[in-house]
Amino acid sequence: MGELRYEFPDTLDAAVALLAGESGAARVIAGGTDVLVQLRTDTIEPGLMVGINNIPEVRTISAENGGFRFGAAVTGMELVEHAAFAKTWPGVIDAVKLIGSIQIKGRATVGGNFCNASPSADSVPAMFAANAVATIVGAKGRRDVPVEDIATGPGRTSLAKDEILASFFLPKRPPHAGDAYLRFTPRTEMDIAVSGVSVCLALDGGGSCTTARVAIAAVAERVLLVDEAADALIGTPVDDAALEALAVAVRAACRPIDDKRGTKTYRIKVTGVLAKRAARIALARAGER
Amino acid sequence: MAKIHVSATVNGDAVDFLCDPEQTLLDVLRDELEFNGAKEGCGTGDCGACSVTLDGRLVCACLIPGAEVQGKTIETIEGMADGEVLHPLQRKFIEHAALQCGICTPGLLIAARALLERNPDPTETEVRYWLAGNLCRCTGYHKIVEAVLDAAEEMRT
Ligand SMILES: Cc1cc2nc3c(=O)[nH]c(=O)nc-3n(C[C@H](O)[C@H](O)[C@H](O)COP(=O)(O)OP(=O)(O)OC[C@H]3O[C@@H](n4cnc5c(N)ncnc54)[C@H](O)[C@@H]3O)c2cc1C
Ligand code: FES
Ligand code: FES
């Protein structure tokens, strides 16, 4: 193993320049809750670590165009404790709260959760459902992409070597909208999802669903947005028939593996159940606002 | 290997150290600064034995690069008692026999203090969820939860 170096630049431009200029392997580090474990187990052997926690742009939560922008390196606890954000996006908070312990959430970031690209990353489906857009900065400039385009497979992303995920934008919520995330784990706390489902929906004045987004985790090589599941809800009062159609659509989209935490059959079944329950919670939350 | 020079504050005192890029805050505390209170149970964020606060935030010291604490403030178990006077949480852990081998105790005390600073009147459920990242192989947790609730009550009055 070569010599490891750490840099903690103050600007995104400086961070991008460091990544672009490194001939060997380089890694961005935000909370380090994935990276440090991987370093310790020699899963990765980078020459350069670029810490981004001193860059204000990636560490800030702010209101923007009636919505929210939060930096990729904002920690889980900072999101949970941000009263206005937590009130607007309870489903995103459901998911963030499930990331490890209080200690882990004190460091873990949503940006890191995305870029680690685990199929079972908890905040990812919630951000898919929230219709979030990611701002990515690299040597060629800035680009905005739907968050669905970040992960391409387990541990792989669409970011170039010199690119950094800077922030997420969550659009203004219509009235009567709600979101929810549920996951299944054998243990209540400190466990990895066997299946996870996020539902975000909005209702018209008469209680009919006007828009919906449904995302599923831990049942494919990456988190999936399921349009057919959203279609099962749109135009309905989210009644039992719609929820049954939702479960069918979600199960049809699952392509899980068998592993020590759950069999294929079990994962597919439980994902349908979670989808129905998450939709009911999202519906109740939509009714409150 | 190039060492990194870092200045930080630990339990109110300015400290300076040289660390290897591979060293975590836990390695630095234990091996460079001789604060041996924080323990290494796993080194991978699972057990909480290394819990400290970093700029007031409860974290696992084993997952923080030593190089990152430049200019930051760290609180460890060594700073919990006020001289000879134990913190109420420390006293209640002894009174309730909330420890056996004691490996998990520094981390639990730091985590419990962080809870009570935010929430002086937690329910039993809130205590159990907050402490879910601190594993104990000996006590079965019940006495720990009792000690935290009892300390919280004393600290409120
Ligand atoms: C004990 C424990 C329990 C955990 N439990 C859960 C859980 O329940 N659910 C869950 O989803 N995860 C869990 N995790 C995994 C981890 O905490 C999360 O994935 C976390 O969100 C990662 O964020 P981070 O900031 O620590 O990432 P880091 O470790 O800093 O980075 C992760 C990856 O993303 C890259 N990266 C980070 N930020 C950026 C950026 N802005 N731009 C480009 N690349 C970037 C890094 O190079 C690295 O490859 C757990 C981890 C531990 C140690
Ligand atoms: S040693 Fe840090 S969590 Fe176990
Ligand atoms: S007292 Fe031994 S691990 Fe908790």
Side-chain angles (χ1 to χ4, degrees):
Chain A
M1 183 166 150
E3 187 150 317
L4 178 68
R5 285 174 299 126
Y6 267 96
E7 297 283 351
F8 294 94
D10 295 325
T11 65
L12 272 172
D13 287 347
V16 166
L18 282 165
L19 292 173
E22 174 66 21
S23 51
R27 278 274 165 156
V28 172
I29 171 167
T33 59
D34 283 315
V35 167
L36 261 72
V37 175
Q38 290 160 7
L39 272 178
R40 191 183 170 96
T41 52
D42 292 331
T43 317
I44 53 169
E45 293 194 359
L48 174 67
M49 302 284 269
V50 179
I52 58 173
N53 285 339
N54 292 346
I55 304 173
E57 180 177 347
V58 303
R59 294 276 305 120
T60 318
I61 310 178
S62 56
E64 183 178 311
N65 292 332
F68 280 100
R69 180 173 294 279
F70 71 86
V74 167
T75 66
M77 285 307 275
E78 287 164 346
L79 282 174
V80 170
E81 289 170 5
H82 193 286
F85 182 87
K87 187 162 181 278
T88 312
W89 292 102
V92 174
I93 296 298
D94 288 342
V96 167
K97 276 190 174 164
L98 288 167
I99 299 179
S101 57
I102 304 292
Q103 286 88 332
I104 297 298
K105 280 188 277 284
R107 291 284 294 176
T109 69
V110 174
N113 209 210
F114 266 93
C115 294
N116 191 57
S118 160
S120 57
D122 284 305
S123 71
V124 172
M127 296 285 284
F128 277 28
N131 205 4
V133 173
T135 298
I136 296 167
V137 179
K140 292 199 189 102
R142 286 178 178 252
R143 60 192 179 102
D144 280 352
V145 299
V147 288
E148 299 89 273
D149 294 351
I150 297 174
T152 52
R156 289 196 310 273
T157 73
S158 57
L159 270 64
K161 182 188 165 218
D162 60 33
E163 282 187 319
I164 298 174
L165 179 51
S167 61
F168 299 100
F169 176 67
L170 282 74
K172 182 177 163 57
R173 302 207 71 167
H176 312 302
D179 64 329
Y181 173 71
L182 287 178
R183 73 172 186 186
F184 176 77
T185 53
R187 291 188 291 179
T188 324
E189 280 284 288
M190 298 291 283
D191 208 345
I192 299 166
V194 171
S195 161
V197 182
S198 262
V199 176
C200 181
L201 52 79
L203 308 172
D204 64 16
S208 174
C209 176
T210 51
T211 60
R213 289 172 67 87
V214 179
I216 55 180
V219 287
E221 71 292 348
R222 59 193 167 85
V223 176
L224 301 176
L225 185 72
V226 188
D227 289 334
E228 296 75 11
D231 292 342
L233 299 177
I234 295 169
T236 76
V238 194
D239 53 8
D240 286 351
L243 291 175
E244 216 36 68
L246 165 74
V248 169
V250 153
R251 287 183 179 127
C254 293
R255 42 174 195 260
I257 52 167
D258 280 317
D259 72 8
K260 61 181 178 199
R261 286 179 297 116
T263 62
K264 273 187 211 173
T265 320
Y266 182 71
R267 284 190 144 114
I268 293 171
K269 182 157 174 61
V270 84
T271 305
V273 175
L274 289 177
K276 289 196 272 188
R277 290 184 191 166
R280 281 204 192 94
I281 298 170
L283 180 68
R285 287 173 175 169
E288 286 162 11
R289 323 165 15 117
Chain B
M1 184 167 286
K3 296 247 188 193
I4 306 159
H5 176 242
V6 179
S7 313
T9 304
V10 180
N11 302 329
D13 294 329
V15 296
D16 270 278
F17 57 87
L18 291 173
C19 81
D20 288 331
E22 280 82 9
Q23 280 182 302
T24 64
L25 172 57
L26 183 62
D27 297 331
V28 166
L29 286 171
R30 294 182 58 85
D31 302 339
E32 308 298 329
L33 301 173
E34 293 180 19
F35 287 102
N36 294 319
K39 305 290 184 242
E40 180 170 290
C42 64
T44 51
D46 294 288
C47 76
C50 64
S51 297
V52 298
T53 62
L54 181 65
D55 284 349
R57 189 62 82 183
L58 182 67
V59 296
C60 294
C62 71
L63 293 184
I64 314 274
E68 197 180 328
V69 304
Q70 170 61 36
K72 298 211 157 55
T73 298
I74 297 138
E75 297 280 341
T76 72
I77 188 65
E78 285 86 351
M80 196 155 178
D82 183 7
E84 296 290 297
V85 184
L86 294 181
H87 186 281
L89 277 162
Q90 293 174 305
R91 218 172 356 89
K92 291 297 178 188
F93 265 57
I94 298 170
E95 278 175 30
H96 286 262
L99 65 155
Q100 289 176 32
C101 79
I103 288 282
C104 67
T105 314
L108 272 157
L109 286 167
I110 290 288
R113 183 177 67 179
L115 168 66
L116 298 187
E117 279 166 5
R118 282 166 185 73
N119 181 357
D121 192 8
T123 62
E124 181 185 331
T125 306
E126 285 169 339
V127 172
R128 287 188 185 274
Y129 271 95
W130 184 275
L131 299 179
N134 293 82
L135 303 186
C136 175
R137 289 292 281 144
C138 305
T139 65
Y141 301 102
H142 195 69
K143 288 169 186 288
I144 292 171
V145 175
E146 278 177 357
V148 173
L149 288 169
D150 197 8
E153 191 180 327
E154 181 185 299
M155 287 164 70
R156 285 196 304 275
T157 50

